[in-house]
Amino acid sequence: MYELIWMSRPLMQAAEANVEQGLRGTGVTVRMRAVLEILHAQGDATVPEIAHALEIKRQYVQLMVNDTLADGLVRKIANPRHKRSTLISLTERGRALIEGVVRREMELVHALGDDLTTDEVETAHRVVTRLLRGLKSQVQRPDP
């Protein structure tokens, strides 16, 4: 179990290296890609909503969003639920870019799993989900 948990770091580093490779020539960084992916999967969102989905601090996400705004991949739109908290929305350019990136990544993911059965993938998913939930439950949150 210990080895499985610690294999997550090299797994994520290898995944990130493949993501970076797939982004070459796009002008998009891994962190910009994360914002685009959330918006593509979940639709328009506020910075705090993106931060919640990525499980990282809002201030860091704001920097990531600023980069995507500067490159014209997203835009700010009015938020009908809150006047001061704008929604971040994909532009057509941002949507086309993230759809191409995700399509290439899914081709790689499917190729990696060619020799795995559905049961093996489902078991791995169940184990990792349980480990993640268990480890998160052990983290003590600082008092507000």
Side-chain angles (χ1 to χ4, degrees), residues 17 43 59 76 79 84 87 93 108 117 127 134:
Q59 295 84 349
K76 291 181 180 182
N79 183 350
R84 292 188 321 173
L87 290 171
R93 180 171 167 249
L108 172 61
T117 67
V127 169

Side-chain angles (χ1 to χ4, degrees), residues 5-6 13 18 22 34 44 51 56 62 83 93 119-120 122:
I5 291 168
W6 283 102
Q13 289 171 334
N18 277 274
D44 302 343
I56 58 178
Q62 185 63 62
K83 290 186 186 217
R93 180 171 167 249
D119 285 345
E120 289 171 321
E122 287 173 354

